[in-house]
Amino acid sequence: MRFSQPLRSSQTLRLSSILAQPARRASAFPRNRLNTIAPSYGSSSPHLCLNRNFSLSLTMNAQELSQYLADAPPSVVRLEVEKHFDALTDKQKRYAHFISKASFAGNRIVLRQVSPESESIYDFIIALHKASGGDWKALAEKAGVDEAGLNAFLQYAAQFLGNSGNYKSFGDSKFVPRCDEKVFASLASTSPEAEKHYKATNGAIFSTDKPGLLHLGFTDEGHLTTYYPDSPDITKDEIDAVAKWMQKTGLLPENTRLRKTKDGVFELLIASAVTSIPSEGGDIGKDTEYKITEGPLEGKTIKLVYGDYAAEMKAITEYSKKAAENAENETQQKMHTAYAKSFEEGSLEAFKDSQRFWIRDQGPMVECNIGFIETYRDPAGVRGEWEGFAAVVNQERTRAFGELVRSAPSLIPLLPWSKEFEKDKFLSPDFTSLEVLTFCGSGIPAGINIPNYDDIRQQEGFKNVSLGNVLSAKAPDEKIPFIADSDLEVYKKYRDAAFEVQVGLHELTGHGCGKLLQETSPGEYNFDHTNPPISPVTGKPVTTWYKPGQTWGSVFGGLAGAYEECRAELVAMHLSCEFQALKIFGFGDGTTDMDGEAGDVLYASYLSMARAGLTSVEFWDPKSQKWGQPHCQARFAILKSFLEAEGDFCKLEYEKEDLSDLTIKLDRSKILTSGRKAVGDFLQKIHIYKSTADVENGTKFFNDMSGVGLEYWGTKVRDVVLKNKQPRKVFVQANTYLDEATGKVTLKHYDATLEGIIQSWADRE
């Protein structure tokens, strides 16, 4: 589980018309054409769409299309880590180096998990960099591409590399270049290798002719996913049936993809370096084919196929073994040995062992985690995206988090449920502030709480990390719409502090609290099932709980990500009202004082959440009427709880019909009364529904709270949010280099420019 940064917004250009380009030189769209006013939602104007040649077709209007254009420019920032890396010993640097290499060795896995064309686009960008020798202007001149066209390519390339694919990591929607396709074709013509990779994309860089494919999701709903490759007719019901079979047999799903063959065989593709089942067998034995004898798949065959991503998994395995050789202690060595076994043999049981060792590796100077971790992008919510990170501990900031860990046992009982719905004992985790050296994945979060396996979390614990140099990375010239002028000074001064408090409470107490009522094995329970606890929601004994083999994710499915992020956010909002918690972060003396600095931080925190909920509607799709980002769905639901609170606690104020003057009005004096009550009531319901496996009531309640609708939120509010949106940051990361002769590792940084991020990736190949 991870904490993603809320959106920060500013004005962006909108597309309304596209003119034919001059002959001979390939060019970007004329800038003056991008400023023309586009038709608004609900207008009778023709609906426009970009096809492969950027001509117009009658599918989407220009404003709808504009949200799919690449950022111009993307906000490129550098992850600063040199000071912290230099303080490591030579052995620690080698340890970090091999973890970094193992992480980045999985980049092509991420690309293939995003879209069929992403790997070819990546190779196209890298081949062009090689052809340019770093002199992009000379390459553009050779290709006959003008400056605007080159900039459009570089902007697209930087955003692509920052998201490890051509779909946004935050929102799961496609982005396309702001130029004619001729620009890319002309650049490709300068290099046979680049041209080969460009042709392999088969026009997918620019294609927008099927609106459903602009979003990731289930194929039978018209969306795109590569977690179910070469399976155009696979259905959600079939995916669910295979998931139930896996649950019953004990085969974990995170490192798998599912393919339905033309013959109707369901192949589970297991990520491993080996291409056949290990000699001692896999996680569920030595068989690879299973005939289904009951249920909706009766008569069908499920086949285990080893060797998905085999080349990448082999490289990752070798780097993991090298990391083990340079480990500082036996626990780290065992952790990376377990990683290597998992990646080589495709064993998630071995991976779970690695996570157990990871939890026990308390207070390391170099922190890491690697594997198929988060399941947000699988539409079924169970298969993991590859990610890996290496980071250096910031010891000064970690001390504050250590105090928060020590205080957690006294904070958690303040949450709105009784002890029957809480862990018998809070397993105090390691909580560190990290400076990221390497993060390979589709996006870099601000905080992480893992592992995600319920049995480990409930019985052995977890760890929290806050990514300090991600939190502190600033984009220049940020604008802040929707905050009233009277609140701007406090908001600007304390939003970063409020965000750090939110991340800390969200990761530690949010994801770290709560008990799942379970029948752990047939006839064995972790609660008194003969005298079940009383639900504070209904006032009656609970009637539902998790059955043997069920997990939180398997029961709540694709909704689990957004639901759990909402629960963790609400825990943080609830506990941030405790001034003792604010004192831990250095604000106030622990006494309640809404007029002091701690009150300023608390006010900035509630304002930030309200604003994040408001701007989240960007990631709700009016056509499918679905959310594309779980954190946004969660924050929007919380905003609605603010707006529904007693005594006009929170309002959206505006005078103009088009909402162009929309601002958030939040009553600071009511945070500790109406605000906290609204948060507590919301939190209590979703926590109890989760704790008791009440998926029916939990799903209905959460979908109601996060429902958008077309008329007001989905059209008028979303329109003004889109007019004020700003690109999300993409990060330029350093590379490490090992001198084999001396054993010394050096660090190479890159400029925070479009060219710099491309060079950093090219140097990794």
Side-chain angles (χ1 to χ4, degrees):
M1 290 163 280
R2 55 167 58 174
F3 189 100
S4 293
Q5 298 192 67
L7 304 171
R8 293 177 177 173
S9 304
S10 72
Q11 188 67 33
T12 190
L13 299 177
R14 296 196 294 160
L15 177 67
S16 67
S17 61
I18 303 164
L19 303 183
Q21 300 301 310
R24 195 179 75 80
R25 293 185 68 84
S27 172
F29 299 118
R31 289 187 181 275
N32 59 328
R33 297 296 178 187
L34 293 175
N35 289 312
T36 312
I37 299 300
S40 63
Y41 286 115
S43 82
S44 58
S45 303
H47 282 212
L48 309 175
C49 174
L50 234 64
N51 67 17
R52 285 179 54 185
N53 296 313
F54 252 76
S55 60
L56 303 180
S57 61
L58 301 178
T59 306
M60 288 193 296
N61 68 34
Q63 182 174 349
E64 290 174 321
L65 183 59
S66 70
Q67 66 185 284
Y68 299 104
L69 296 179
D71 294 334
S75 181
V76 182
V77 296
R78 195 168 86 166
L79 281 181
E80 302 293 347
V81 72
E82 191 166 12
K83 178 180 73 172
H84 300 277
F85 185 80
D86 287 347
L88 298 176
T89 66
D90 286 342
K91 188 176 184 180
Q92 290 168 340
K93 289 178 181 178
R94 289 195 298 273
Y95 180 62
H97 167 76
F98 286 117
I99 298 168
S100 177
K101 297 289 284 186
S103 299
F104 279 132
N107 180 56
R108 290 182 180 273
I109 297 175
V110 181
L111 294 167
R112 291 175 211 155
Q113 289 180 314
V114 174
S115 70
E117 64 271 12
S118 282
E119 188 171 16
S120 294
I121 298 173
Y122 175 81
D123 287 330
F124 167 59
I125 294 169
I126 300 303
L128 276 183
H129 178 272
K130 181 179 178 182
S132 74
D135 189 344
W136 288 101
K137 289 184 178 179
L139 184 76
E141 184 67 30
K142 180 180 178 181
V145 170
D146 67 10
E147 182 180 357
L150 175 62
N151 282 338
F153 165 77
L154 293 174
Q155 288 166 358
Y156 176 83
Q159 187 172 355
F160 177 92
L161 295 171
N163 288 271
S164 288
N166 61 334
Y167 284 72
K168 295 176 182 177
S169 64
F170 199 87
D172 291 347
S173 61
K174 187 175 182 179
F175 54 93
V176 297
R178 289 177 177 262
C179 63
D180 193 282
E181 192 171 0
K182 293 177 183 177
V183 170
F184 278 52
S186 297
L187 290 169
S189 70
T190 63
S191 159
E193 184 182 3
E195 191 165 44
K196 176 186 71 174
H197 294 305
Y198 181 64
K199 288 180 177 178
T201 68
N202 198 30
I205 294 175
F206 289 87
S207 63
T208 60
D209 54 315
K210 296 179 179 178
L213 296 181
L214 298 175
H215 296 268
L216 301 180
F218 285 111
T219 56
D220 58 351
E221 294 180 348
H223 300 305
L224 178 74
T225 178
T226 59
Y227 286 90
Y228 307 93
D230 308 317
S231 308
D233 63 342
I234 195 168
T235 67
K236 287 192 291 183
D237 288 341
E238 290 170 330
I239 292 168
D240 184 58
V242 172
K244 284 182 168 61
W245 176 85
M246 295 178 73
Q247 180 180 303
K248 184 177 179 180
T249 59
L251 183 63
L252 295 168
E254 286 82 5
N255 68 343
T256 69
R257 294 191 294 169
L258 177 61
R259 179 168 62 204
K260 181 183 178 183
T261 70
K262 294 179 180 178
D263 298 328
V265 174
F266 292 91
E267 295 182 336
L268 281 166
L269 312 180
I270 298 173
S272 64
V274 299
T275 54
S276 59
I277 191 167
S279 57
E280 69 273 20
D283 284 348
I284 58 171
K286 294 189 175 183
D287 292 334
T288 58
E289 291 195 22
Y290 299 84
K291 198 80 168 180
I292 308 303
T293 58
E294 59 183 3
L297 298 183
E298 184 177 356
K300 299 291 186 181
T301 297
I302 292 179
K303 184 178 181 181
L304 309 186
V305 180
Y306 286 80
D308 203 15
Y309 315 123
E312 290 75 24
M313 300 309 292
K314 182 179 179 181
I316 294 164
T317 298
E318 293 307 310
Y319 286 129
S320 297
K321 291 177 180 178
K322 289 287 189 181
E325 292 173 7
N326 288 274
E328 281 211 297
N329 55 58
E330 186 180 4
T331 301
Q332 288 182 353
Q333 186 179 47
K334 288 180 176 179
M335 173 176 67
H336 288 283
T337 300
Y339 276 138
K341 178 178 173 62
S342 172
F343 302 145
E344 183 171 32
E345 300 181 3
S347 169
L348 283 179
E349 293 300 332
F351 181 75
K352 289 179 72 173
D353 286 340
S354 75
Q355 300 304 280
R356 293 183 174 98
F357 290 123
W358 182 67
I359 293 168
R360 296 169 199 163
D361 185 27
Q362 299 277 309
M365 279 304 299
V366 176
E367 186 59 280
C368 67
N369 208 284
I370 186 168
F372 296 89
I373 310 293
E374 302 294 354
T375 60
Y376 300 126
R377 302 195 95 170
D378 170 22
V382 296
R383 292 177 166 82
E385 183 178 65
W386 175 264
E387 70 176 47
F389 74 85
V392 185
V393 173
N394 182 325
Q395 293 180 308
E396 181 180 350
R397 290 306 305 148
T398 294
R399 279 192 283 273
F401 289 122
E403 181 58 33
L404 181 62
V405 171
R406 288 187 288 274
S407 301
S410 63
L411 291 173
I412 289 175
L414 302 175
L415 295 169
W417 51 81
S418 61
K419 63 181 181 180
E420 289 85 0
F421 301 97
E422 191 50 68
K423 293 184 179 73
D424 298 330
K425 180 182 179 182
F426 180 74
L427 301 172
S428 296
D430 206 22
F431 197 161
T432 51
S433 177
L434 304 179
E435 308 297 322
V436 174
L437 169 65
T438 293
F439 200 108
C440 179
S442 60
I444 307 179
I448 305 172
N449 175 287
I450 46 179
N452 290 330
Y453 296 104
D454 294 334
D455 55 340
I456 297 178
R457 295 177 64 82
Q458 296 280 323
Q459 299 167 23
E460 302 180 56
F462 52 89
K463 283 169 77 170
N464 298 275
V465 297
S466 173
L467 306 184
N469 55 347
V470 176
L471 285 165
S472 62
K474 291 288 188 295
D477 304 321
E478 287 184 333
K479 295 184 180 179
I480 310 173
F482 311 124
I483 297 295
D485 290 343
S486 57
D487 289 328
L488 269 176
E489 183 179 353
V490 169
Y491 182 81
K492 287 181 178 179
K493 184 174 181 180
Y494 290 107
R495 63 176 175 174
D496 289 346
F499 190 50
E500 185 175 38
V501 172
Q502 182 75 7
V503 171
L505 291 171
H506 173 115
E507 295 297 346
L508 176 68
T509 57
H511 291 312
C513 75
K515 178 178 181 177
L516 303 182
L517 302 187
Q518 297 170 303
E519 184 180 2
T520 53
S521 59
E524 298 291 329
Y525 299 81
N526 68 350
F527 67 103
D528 184 358
H529 75 288
T530 62
N531 184 28
I534 303 298
S535 165
V537 177
T538 66
K540 299 177 182 179
V542 303
T543 58
T544 57
W545 48 80
Y546 293 87
K547 303 301 188 291
Q550 289 185 333
T551 65
W552 146 246
S554 70
V555 171
F556 279 76
L559 189 65
Y563 192 106
E564 173 60 12
E565 292 306 325
C566 186
R567 194 185 71 90
E569 293 276 45
L570 287 165
V571 169
M573 299 306 296
H574 195 273
L575 291 180
S576 64
C577 292
E578 297 295 332
F579 280 72
Q580 284 292 340
L582 295 171
K583 179 185 177 183
I584 293 169
F585 289 89
F587 303 106
D589 60 6
T591 58
T592 301
D593 181 9
M594 282 302 299
D595 296 323
E597 186 177 45
D600 288 338
V601 172
L602 180 57
Y603 185 47
S605 178
Y606 269 72
L607 269 179
S608 294
M609 182 57 69
R611 184 172 177 272
L614 176 62
T615 58
S616 287
V617 294
E618 174 190 345
F619 296 97
W620 182 82
D621 176 38
K623 290 192 177 297
S624 65
Q625 297 193 40
K626 292 184 177 180
W627 285 97
Q629 217 294 325
H631 294 84
C632 290
Q633 184 177 358
R635 290 162 181 160
F636 178 75
I638 295 172
L639 170 63
K640 285 181 69 175
S641 76
F642 286 4
L643 295 170
E644 293 172 4
E646 300 170 352
D648 287 335
F649 167 62
C650 181
K651 296 183 290 184
L652 300 182
E653 294 187 337
Y654 56 91
E655 294 182 0
K656 297 180 180 179
E657 181 65 25
D658 64 357
L659 311 189
S660 57
D661 59 341
L662 182 69
T663 57
I664 297 164
K665 179 67 174 179
L666 193 143
D667 191 334
R668 176 172 177 154
S669 70
K670 295 177 181 176
I671 289 177
L672 298 180
T673 54
S674 300
R676 189 175 192 182
K677 182 179 186 302
V679 166
D681 290 346
F682 188 3
L683 171 59
Q684 184 185 78
K685 286 186 175 70
I686 66 170
H687 177 80
I688 297 302
Y689 294 145
K690 176 189 175 181
S691 184
T692 60
D694 189 352
V695 64
E696 181 179 349
N697 285 312
T699 298
K700 182 181 185 304
F701 175 69
F702 186 67
N703 282 339
D704 286 346
M705 287 300 297
S706 60
V708 178
L710 280 171
E711 185 174 353
Y712 177 68
W713 289 107
T715 300
K716 295 190 74 172
V717 174
R718 188 170 183 273
D719 191 15
V720 75
V721 166
L722 289 173
K723 290 175 184 177
N724 286 279
K725 73 174 184 177
Q726 165 176 306
R728 285 182 66 80
K729 293 188 281 286
V730 294
F731 296 98
V732 183
Q733 301 181 53
N735 285 321
T736 56
Y737 295 89
L738 173 65
D739 185 325
E740 297 282 358
T742 64
K744 301 275 189 184
V745 176
T746 55
L747 191 70
K748 181 179 179 180
H749 267 302
Y750 300 85
D751 293 336
T753 61
L754 304 176
E755 296 86 351
I757 192 171
I758 296 172
Q759 185 185 348
S760 71
W761 279 100
D763 285 355
R764 292 180 191 121
E765 289 296 310

